């Protein structure tokens, strides 16, 4: 199954992506993780992406599309994938359609986690404080300024994707404000699957 997980930063996409990949036996393809790995490795892509990421702005389509194209072609993604954090703009969605079309593939569904954007800053601040209290490392973009920029970027550039995929009959919306387990059940049932 080829899925996209759509939702703002802090909506719980990563948590649900892990559950989906376990249930479906397909990999999670997170552009955020790919970019953070590139930054950690100080690769040319990482060096270009780092400043944008730290500010909470989008990295260029050129960089993100080349990472996704290379990843989708790997053998573990042949049976399907859960895309997390991509596409983030209508331009990226169009490019993905073209890319998959050229490979003779198509998307099965786009799962949207619906959350109250105003509740997310509090959620994120709480999460970061808890992680720090446990002595865990936090992300360079997990500070209130970058987080607000991430939310604003989402509002402006990613929200239009819901209607893009609704028009194509692919959108399934799930209430992301419920418990992790409840959201997981709703995600599965929106795909016609049991947990
Ligand atoms: P979150 O959804 O929590 O904001 P991600 O881990 O998905 O975080 O992404 C972190 C950062 O990586 C983004 O703020 C952005 O700078 C960059 N990024 C990730 N995916 C994309 C994408 N598809 N297009 C452009 N930039 C991206």
């Amino acid at each position: 199954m080829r899925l996209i997980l759509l939702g703002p930063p802090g909506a719980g996409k990563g948590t649900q992506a892990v559950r989906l990949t376990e249930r479906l036996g397909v990999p999670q393809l997170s552009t955020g993780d790919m970019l953070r790995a590139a930054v950690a490795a100080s690769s040319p892509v990482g060096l270009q992406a780092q400043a944008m990421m730290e500010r909470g702005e989008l990295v260029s389509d050129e960089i993100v599309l080349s990472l996704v194209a290379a990843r989708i072609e790997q053998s573990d993604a042949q049976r399907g994938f859960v895309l997390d954090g991509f596409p983030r703009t209508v331009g990226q969605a169009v490019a993905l359609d073209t890319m998959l079309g050229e490979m003779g593939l198509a998307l099965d569904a786009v799962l949207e986690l619906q959350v109250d954007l105003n509740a997310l800053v509090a959620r994120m601040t709480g999460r970061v404080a808890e992680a720090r209290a446990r002595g865990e490392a936090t992300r360079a973009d997990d500070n209130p300024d970058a987080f607000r920029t991430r939310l604003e970027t989402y509002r402006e550039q990613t929200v239009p994707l819901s209607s893009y995929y609704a028009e194509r009959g692919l959108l399934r919306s799930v209430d992301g404000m419920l418990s992790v387990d409840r959201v997981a059940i709703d995600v599965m049932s929106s795909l016609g699957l049991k947990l």
Side-chain angles (χ1 to χ4, degrees):
M1 212 183 262
R2 292 179 184 84
L3 303 175
I4 291 174
L5 210 46
L6 208 58
K13 287 193 303 293
T15 309
Q16 297 301 329
V18 170
R19 300 214 173 187
L20 272 167
T21 59
E22 284 167 0
R23 175 69 176 76
L24 299 172
V26 297
Q28 170 192 8
L29 273 47
S30 157
T31 44
D33 287 349
M34 293 179 211
L35 288 165
R36 279 185 288 277
V39 170
S42 300
S43 70
V45 162
L47 294 174
Q48 278 188 64
Q50 186 167 19
M52 304 299 280
M53 291 176 74
E54 282 177 4
R55 286 198 297 270
E57 294 168 13
L58 292 185
V59 172
S60 76
D61 283 358
E62 192 192 350
I63 288 183
V64 174
L65 286 166
S66 68
L67 286 174
V68 172
R71 188 65 189 84
I72 284 182
E73 284 179 350
Q74 285 175 19
S75 59
D76 65 335
Q78 297 311 304
R79 288 186 51 232
F81 47 74
V82 177
L83 278 171
D84 165 8
F86 176 91
R88 253 177 160 87
T89 65
V90 172
Q92 290 181 5
V94 171
L96 176 65
D97 285 343
T98 307
M99 195 190 297
L100 291 176
E102 284 168 357
M103 296 166 85
L105 303 174
L107 293 168
D108 293 292
V110 177
L111 287 161
E112 177 184 50
L113 295 183
Q114 285 187 318
V115 295
D116 172 10
L117 293 189
N118 297 320
L120 290 175
V121 177
R123 222 197 232 193
M124 174 265 167
T125 331
R127 224 188 252 178
V128 170
E130 282 167 25
R132 292 209 176 119
R134 288 193 300 268
E136 292 169 13
T138 51
R139 275 165 45 175
D141 59 353
D142 271 345
N143 61 75
D145 278 349
F147 191 77
R148 278 194 197 92
T149 306
R150 280 154 63 198
L151 274 183
E152 208 38 55
T153 308
Y154 183 84
R155 241 189 272 262
E156 287 169 7
Q157 310 219 43
T158 313
V159 166
L161 285 185
S162 302
S163 35
Y164 178 87
Y165 287 120
E167 283 160 16
R168 285 157 182 76
L170 290 169
L171 192 71
R172 316 264 185 279
S173 295
V174 167
D175 183 352
M177 297 302 284
L178 306 177
S179 71
V180 170
D181 289 338
R182 183 70 239 173
V183 176
I185 291 169
D186 294 346
V187 163
M188 296 303 165
S189 69
S190 77
L191 296 171
L193 301 170
K194 285 209 162 138
L195 203 58

